[in-house]
Amino acid sequence: MAGSPQQLTLLGATGSIGTQTLAVLALHPARYRVYALTAGSQWQALAAQCETWQPRYAVLADAQAALSLRNHLQALGSQTEVLAGEAALAQVAAADEVDTVVAAIVGAAGVRPTLAAVRAGKRVLLANKEALVVTGQLFMDAVTASGASLLPVDSEHNAIFQCLPACTPGQNARLAGVRKLLLTASGGPFRTFTAEQLATVTPEQAVRHPNWNMGPKISVDSATLMNKGLELIEACWLFSVPPSLIDVVVHPQSVLHSMVEYDDGSVLAQLGTPDMKTPIACALSWPERIDSGARRLDFTRLAGLDFEAPDETRFPCLRLAREAMQAGGTATAVLNAANEVAVAAFLDRRLDFPGIPVVVAETLARVAAPACTDVDAVMAVDAAARRVATAQLAART
Ligand code: NDP
């Protein structure tokens, strides 16, 4: 690649996607420069990354953690400037010097920084699906208004993106002759568990995903199939299709990362080893291709590829997500907020695994979800949903 290196802000640098993004960047030192690295509160992990990458800025959401990082880096004589808080996250996402923003904060905490990058017209590599699930139409309108490039990092959406050569995010997939989007799901660690077994599973079991190495929240989402529900919503927005055009297919090996069925009967799929470095590298370099460092797929070693329908009785979160998308307004923001509260409670052993969809369903039933025209109003709905979900946790104990 000719020209000067791309300047990059990495939101959520210390997480699973963040560290894997840095692993890909390390293979291409001439191509990318890190402008800013950000995290929530893990300042020691961010400090180690700053020592390696020497970014212009390091940002922590947590002010106390930022103070510790600043003292630490000053003692080392580092040139990295340390900032704190949500406004600073938005600032480094929207800075003029930045070409590309990797949006990899977990949860609705990523809404404002990711939107700041979109509004500034950046090339946005979207891992933080919750930002799109929460703000939906507002998010896509901001993409259109600013001319930002939106590139999906989620492996399923990245696969669909690669199978839709005539369609970029924001354009209607139907216009390209698409009959169906087929989202694959691993089924998670409890795919074969009975309802009785699901009642006793622990957080340790839930975060041990059979194929992917991910952060704790998405690992639990994967176990409940809420992750697939959030992805269904994400796909509706990215490819401008209704939920009825999206089928979920359970594929336990996670080798085939999603498919597109066309009107003529052709089905295109993208395959690879289950390694997020592949979609990260694809999104970073698109439309060029770069080495990701991911293990290569060896067809001669594949024992087989299996497919089955998802079981929405044992895993009702997928149905709840589809219904929230169909309901419209801010129902998907309510769904997401309730799920974040429930998953945190499960990880904290304050809620059992089957309680997660119960809290989500009851919150959806109780919280008004009007259509909103600005982010503050959406975040007020998010806050109301969190209060209702939290009250239900208290009522269950
Ligand atoms: P992790 O939990 O591993 O990392 C989350 C990152 O967000 C960390 O850097 C964390 O900082 C930061 N963070 C947490 N809270 C805040 C906050 N309030 N303000 C600012 N930053 C915060 O998550 P993952 O990397 O697994 O997932 C990130 C996103 O990517 C999620 O939306 C997930 O759904 C999506 N995704 C992840 C995949 C994966 O394989 N992991 C695959 C596809 C999508 P700190 O370390 O300080 O807490």
Side-chain angles (χ1 to χ4, degrees):
M1 191 196 75
S4 47
Q6 274 186 51
Q7 295 279 342
L8 209 128
T9 283
L10 178 40
L11 301 170
T14 51
S16 159
I17 293 292
T19 50
Q20 292 182 85
T21 301
L22 290 173
V24 177
L25 296 184
L27 300 175
H28 306 280
R31 193 171 174 125
Y32 303 102
R33 290 276 183 283
V34 175
Y35 175 81
L37 294 173
T38 86
S41 57
Q42 284 199 71
W43 71 265
Q44 291 96 334
L46 195 58
Q49 293 180 341
C50 288
E51 287 172 41
T52 305
W53 291 92
Q54 306 283 330
R56 172 85 185 77
Y57 291 102
V59 187
L60 283 152
D62 183 277
Q64 197 56 45
L67 199 58
S68 301
L69 179 65
R70 191 174 298 125
N71 291 338
H72 176 87
L73 290 181
Q74 271 173 2
L76 295 176
S78 165
Q79 298 296 307
T80 299
E81 193 172 329
V82 178
L83 305 175
E86 193 177 60
L89 293 170
Q91 178 192 322
V92 296
D96 286 344
E97 296 91 329
V98 172
D99 307 298
T100 299
V101 175
V102 181
I105 293 174
V106 63
V111 164
R112 291 184 198 275
T114 305
L115 265 177
V118 168
R119 287 178 174 149
K122 303 301 181 192
R123 183 179 166 99
V124 179
L125 277 50
L126 185 70
N128 179 208
K129 67 194 88 185
E130 297 93 342
L132 184 50
V133 166
V134 171
T135 55
Q137 190 68 57
L138 284 176
F139 191 104
M140 296 312 293
D141 287 349
V143 170
T144 309
S146 70
S149 309
L150 189 56
L151 291 148
V153 168
D154 227 336
S155 58
E156 294 78 0
H157 306 74
N158 185 269
I160 290 170
F161 171 70
Q162 293 191 56
C163 296
L164 286 174
C167 180
T168 55
Q171 290 180 313
N172 189 337
R174 199 55 208 118
L175 298 177
V178 169
R179 175 73 55 98
K180 281 265 179 205
L181 302 182
L182 298 148
L183 275 182
T184 53
S186 70
F190 309 138
R191 180 175 59 88
T192 58
F193 280 36
T194 63
E196 292 70 33
Q197 288 173 309
L198 287 176
T200 60
V201 298
T202 63
E204 289 75 17
Q205 287 173 289
V207 299
R208 222 178 297 129
H209 194 279
N211 305 338
W212 301 94
N213 186 8
M214 308 183 289
K217 192 261 180 184
I218 184 176
S219 296
V220 177
D221 286 348
S222 190
T224 60
L225 286 199
M226 180 58 94
N227 184 48
K228 214 46 55 184
L230 298 176
E231 287 179 5
L232 183 144
I233 297 166
E234 183 185 10
C236 288
W237 288 116
L238 283 177
F239 306 113
S240 192
V241 295
S244 57
L245 250 60
I246 302 177
D247 282 352
V248 172
V249 184
V250 174
H251 164 47
Q253 291 87 3
S254 299
V255 165
L256 195 157
H257 300 306
S258 280
M259 301 170 264
V260 176
E261 181 191 331
Y262 286 88
D263 285 336
D264 62 7
S266 300
V267 179
L268 301 191
Q270 184 261 348
L271 286 75
T273 55
D275 187 329
M276 286 305 297
K277 292 197 290 301
T278 296
I280 290 168
C282 172
L284 274 170
S285 62
W286 188 264
E288 295 174 20
R289 298 279 184 170
I290 57 171
D291 182 20
S292 67
R295 199 163 43 83
R296 304 271 138 185
L297 192 58
D298 180 350
F299 281 90
T300 62
R301 286 172 176 269
L302 284 181
L305 300 178
D306 298 311
F307 301 94
E308 62 193 44
D311 180 344
E312 294 188 8
T313 307
R314 281 180 303 138
F315 301 102
C317 286
L318 178 56
R319 176 180 51 78
L320 292 171
R322 189 185 299 106
E323 287 170 0
M325 186 65 200
Q326 279 158 345
T330 40
T332 57
V334 173
L335 171 102
N336 179 72
N339 183 57
E340 287 192 27
V341 170
V343 169
F346 170 71
L347 286 169
D348 221 13
R349 296 175 211 282
R350 289 178 286 116
L351 181 67
D352 59 6
F353 188 79
I356 297 173
V358 174
V359 168
V360 173
E362 294 200 356
T363 307
L364 278 164
R366 288 179 197 191
V367 177
C372 296
T373 51
D374 67 81
V375 177
D376 290 343
V378 177
M379 295 318 286
V381 172
D382 169 285
R386 281 170 204 270
R387 282 193 297 276
V388 169
T390 305
Q392 285 174 68
L393 292 176
R396 286 174 70 88
T397 53

